[in-house]
Every structure is written in structure tokens, then in C-alpha cells.
Amino acid sequence: MLDRATAPQFGTIKDVSLIEPTIHHLDNGIPVFSVNTGIQEVTKVELVFDAGTATASRTLVASTTTKLLTSGTSNKTAAEIAESVDFFGAYLQAETSHDDCSLNLFTLSKYLPQTLPILAEVYTDVVFSEKEITTHLSQSQQQMLVNREKVSYLGAKAFAAAMFGKHHPYGRSASVADYDSITRNELVGFYQNHIKGGVKHIIVAGKLSKNTIAQLNDAFGNTEQKEPSPSSFDIEPNTPTTVHAEKADAVQNSIKIGRVLFNRKHPDFIGLQVLTTVLGGYFGSRLMTNIREDKGYTYGIGSGMVSMKNSGYLSISTEVGADVCQAAVDEIFKEIGLLRKEHIPIGELELVRNYMLGSILKSVDGPFAIADKWKTYLRYEMGINSHHNLIHQIQTITPERLRDLANTYLQRDNMAVVTAGKAMQD
């Protein structure tokens, strides 16, 4: 019988293996990365495009275009598309990030021959009806009006602008009025220029059959492909700043602290991932222990590294009462100061190592999770050696190296401090 009075034995993770995809090419040259694993009879097909929000000339164009990919074709309305995939227990999903977008199909493997043609039709023949555009923009505009009442939303907008500049592709954000000025011609133009004929690669994962690649070739191998034109732009070093977005009736204040750094291809990125995990990346972190458990200022606080194709940044984020907002900011910098002055104790570092390795192990549990991991690596043109390097650095980084990184990158004078809510109280 299980003895629940005795804690389970603590174990350490030695390695996290990652299945490598098999690479194929369709007749038109589209690369296909297949992850053939799992025991469930399910398949995910993901079409990836270099068509993220940073690609468009202004806000809302890319995200709206992607969302409307399933809004109707020459032969099917949005409802008919939804019904046709639902009949087979499948569904379609469109996603957008700063750097890319994707159109995904989740289906039972045995129904892939029936559902793939629907995915192909949606990808190649979206019509962007005025009715669907109007409905989507109206709903999105209403959601923004709701979000504007949240200090987390106001803080995120102000933080992006403070980090990159309010007109930069990574720093700009939409206004309520922007929804009224989007035109069908802009959406069609973005679709024609960046999505149709612009499949960067296809990722297929799940329990695949010997015919899966042939079925993908039938669906997508005859489509005309344009020359890829991925977006790239310079990132100006951010000027450290203090910004407050006023919301006088706020119950809590949002705090966001960070600085522009680099993406996951930089040699110091993994070390900073370890460092920010110690600082605020898990429930037992220093910021959680101080600001939640000791001071009682917040329910939660976190820190971490964010990677994008052309840049990356460090971010610390929380929400606290307005009366303790400045005190919380001071405590955050106090914990940063300790990382710069003192070596992290070996016991604490070993706990963080095991937590991070456990999180990575969880992130590659199952074929769809493995596919998502490879989608990230492929975004940066990284291979299996990058995964091995990630595990190795987590396992071997020293307290001395972490203190050096803290002194190099965590100076208070280089940080942007962005708050949203009631006016700060000293």
C-alpha cells in the first residue's frame, strides 16, 4: 500500500532526448519535417509562413489576415468549413506571432485523406468576404475595449513601446480606431504577398502512415511557390526609461521591468535563461519567495527570456497593489543586486537545473509537443546540436558564470521600468 506520509525519493534528470524529424521535399520543393511517433491515431499538419505581425506594414493586417484564413472559400462558407472538418472529428487553427504565422489541422490519422483537401482549399482559396471581415473586426474591437480596462494589457503595450519604440514592428500596438481603417484590399494583398505560395515548411506529427507524405504531396506539392522573403530589421538599443500608464480606478498596478538583449542564437541566451529562472522562473524562485511569500505584495511574479527572430529581451512581470508598487520595484532590484554580488548556492542551482530539465522533458512529451519544439528550432535555423547544447549548458553552468552574466546584463541603469495603474506612491 502507498505510504503517503513518506515523501517520494528525489531524483535528478540526466538527459532529455529529442526525436529528430525526417526531412522530405514535395514536388514543388516545400520541405516537410515529419515526427512519426506516438500511440494515438492522431495527426497534426502545420503550414508555416514567414508572415508574422512584424512583416506587415501596419498593425492588425497580419493577425487579421491569418484569423480570416478559415472564413470561407469560393465553395464553402466559414460555417461549412467548420462543419466539414468537424464531421471527421478534426479542427483547423490559425496562429500568429511576431515572426511567423501558421495554419494547423488536427485530425484522426485515418481521416487525413478526407481532411487534407479541406486544409488545402482553405490555404489556397480564401475569399475574404466583407461580411466575415466586418464581423471579425467588430468582435476584436470590442475585445480591445474590454482589455483596455486591464492594467496587464496597458502595461504590456507600454512595455513593448518602451523596449523597441512605438513605431517599431516589435514595439507597435493597435488602437481602437485602427479596426475602423482596415480594408479588404490590405488583407488580400498581405495574403497574396506573404501567405499564398509562401509555405516556408510543413511540420507533420503523430502516428503517420506510409502514405502520409504522398498525401501531403497531392495536397500541396502542385501549388506554385514564391521565392521566400523573410523580414529582417535593425534593433536599436533601448534607452533605459521609466514609464507609467495612468489608470486612476485600477485596483492593482502592473509592473514590467526588462531590457532588449538578443535571441536564442546568442551564446549567452541559455545562461540568462538559467539566471532568470533563479530570479523568478519557478514557484520557489527568489522573487516569489520575497515578493509573494515574505512581503505578500502579489499572487505571482515571473521573469524570463523572450526570443524573437530579430531580437530578444529579458522581462520581469507582476501585479501588485498601487500602495506597494514602488516598494515592489525596489525589492525586485534588491534581488537583482544580490545576483550580481553573490554566488548562487550550489543547492539552489541544482534545484533550478532539475526544474529546467524537467520542464524541457515535459515540453517534448508527445508528438505534437515535439513538433512544437522543432518549430521553435527551425525558426532560428537550429538543429539537434542546439538541443544538446541547451541540456549541456544547464547541467554545467557555474555560480561564477551566472554572477558574471548578472553583472554584464542586469545593471539597473540599463533596465526599462514600466508600470500601469494608479499613480506611483513613494
Side-chain angles (χ1 to χ4, degrees):
M1 185 175 179
L2 182 64
D3 182 7
R4 299 189 181 276
T6 303
Q9 186 176 0
F10 180 81
T12 58
I13 298 172
K14 301 299 182 184
D15 190 24
V16 181
S17 61
L18 178 64
I19 296 173
E20 289 190 73
T22 303
I23 304 174
H24 315 266
H25 287 86
L26 305 186
D27 288 346
N28 57 0
I30 296 176
V32 176
F33 298 86
S34 66
V35 179
N36 188 5
T37 187
I39 59 174
Q40 303 298 324
E41 296 283 348
V42 291
T43 298
K44 176 185 177 182
V45 178
E46 182 166 15
L47 311 182
V48 181
F49 311 89
D50 275 322
T53 57
T55 310
S57 59
R58 69 185 185 108
T59 59
L60 296 181
V61 173
S63 59
T64 302
T65 302
T66 304
K67 286 294 184 183
L68 290 172
L69 289 177
T70 59
S71 66
T73 67
S74 299
N75 299 313
K76 291 185 179 71
T77 65
E80 288 170 339
I81 291 170
E83 289 171 3
S84 62
V85 293
D86 185 63
F87 178 80
F88 295 104
Y91 69 94
L92 298 171
Q93 179 188 68
E95 298 178 319
T96 311
S97 72
H98 279 302
D99 297 309
D100 53 40
C101 71
S102 63
L103 182 60
N104 309 323
L105 167 68
F106 298 83
T107 183
L108 295 173
S109 299
K110 64 181 178 180
Y111 292 133
L112 189 62
Q114 289 81 16
T115 54
L116 261 184
I118 303 171
L119 176 65
E121 180 181 354
V122 166
Y123 158 55
T124 59
D125 190 35
V126 59
V127 295
F128 296 102
S129 75
E130 291 284 5
K131 178 182 177 182
E132 292 289 343
I133 293 171
T134 300
T135 299
H136 172 76
L137 290 175
S138 177
Q139 291 174 344
S140 300
Q141 189 178 51
Q142 290 301 311
Q143 185 60 54
M144 176 176 280
L145 291 172
V146 173
N147 288 337
R148 289 198 312 177
E149 299 302 309
K150 303 174 183 177
V151 292
S152 59
Y153 177 79
L154 297 176
K157 284 168 64 80
F159 185 65
M163 297 283 277
F164 296 101
K166 64 180 181 180
H167 300 299
H168 190 276
Y170 284 161
R172 66 192 179 188
S173 58
S175 68
V176 172
D178 287 333
Y179 289 96
D180 296 324
S181 62
I182 291 292
T183 67
R184 181 179 182 276
N185 285 342
E186 285 181 292
L187 304 180
V188 172
F190 187 83
Y191 167 73
Q192 293 288 350
N193 292 331
H194 298 285
I195 295 179
K196 189 172 184 178
V199 177
K200 181 181 179 181
H201 50 250
I202 298 173
I203 304 174
V204 57
K207 196 166 185 180
L208 311 181
S209 75
K210 62 181 181 180
N211 299 319
T212 299
I213 301 303
Q215 292 164 350
L216 287 170
N217 194 57
D218 289 341
F220 304 105
N222 295 319
T223 58
E224 184 178 350
Q225 283 290 104
K226 295 191 290 284
E227 285 296 319
S229 55
S231 62
S232 62
F233 35 78
D234 295 331
I235 304 294
E236 296 293 334
N238 66 311
T239 302
T241 184
T242 299
V243 176
H244 180 72
E246 183 73 19
K247 191 175 191 305
D249 61 345
V251 176
Q252 287 192 307
N253 278 21
S254 166
I255 299 172
K256 293 186 180 295
I257 298 172
R259 62 170 297 190
V260 175
L261 287 170
F262 34 71
N263 65 21
R264 64 177 60 250
K265 297 184 78 170
H266 192 280
D268 288 342
F269 186 86
I270 298 171
L272 281 169
Q273 282 186 304
V274 178
L275 188 64
T276 54
T277 302
V278 172
L279 179 63
Y282 69 111
F283 192 80
S285 69
R286 294 186 176 195
L287 290 178
M288 284 288 281
T289 300
N290 181 337
I291 294 174
R292 174 192 157 106
E293 300 300 322
D294 183 29
K295 304 296 187 303
Y297 290 164
T298 184
Y299 286 109
I301 183 169
S303 66
M305 292 293 292
V306 178
S307 178
M308 298 176 291
K309 195 168 184 179
N310 292 284
S311 185
Y313 60 91
L314 180 150
S315 175
I316 302 165
S317 181
T318 188
E319 291 182 24
V320 301
D323 58 328
V324 296
C325 189
Q326 185 58 58
V329 170
D330 293 341
E331 290 298 323
I332 290 170
F333 281 110
K334 172 186 171 183
E335 294 298 338
I336 290 174
L338 290 174
L339 289 175
R340 297 183 66 203
K341 293 177 182 177
E342 302 172 358
H343 289 151
I344 297 168
I346 289 296
E348 181 182 7
L349 181 54
E350 288 300 323
L351 177 64
V352 169
R353 290 192 214 278
N354 219 41
Y355 169 79
M356 293 184 71
L357 293 172
S359 297
I360 296 169
L361 186 63
K362 182 179 179 181
S363 75
V364 295
D365 182 17
F368 296 173
I370 294 170
D372 287 341
K373 182 67 70 175
W374 277 108
K375 180 182 178 181
T376 298
Y377 284 144
L378 291 171
R379 179 179 292 151
Y380 302 97
E381 300 178 345
M382 300 168 73
I384 192 66
N385 288 338
S386 299
H387 179 75
H388 295 324
N389 181 50
L390 170 66
I391 305 304
H392 176 72
Q393 285 206 42
I394 291 173
Q395 291 175 329
T396 60
I397 196 165
T398 64
E400 292 79 11
R401 177 60 180 154
L402 289 169
R403 190 177 70 172
D404 288 344
L405 289 171
N407 279 291
T408 301
Y409 297 112
L410 300 189
Q411 303 101 332
R412 180 167 186 161
D413 291 344
N414 291 333
M415 298 280 191
V417 179
V418 177
T419 55
K422 292 181 180 179
M424 297 274 283
Q425 300 179 18
D426 295 330

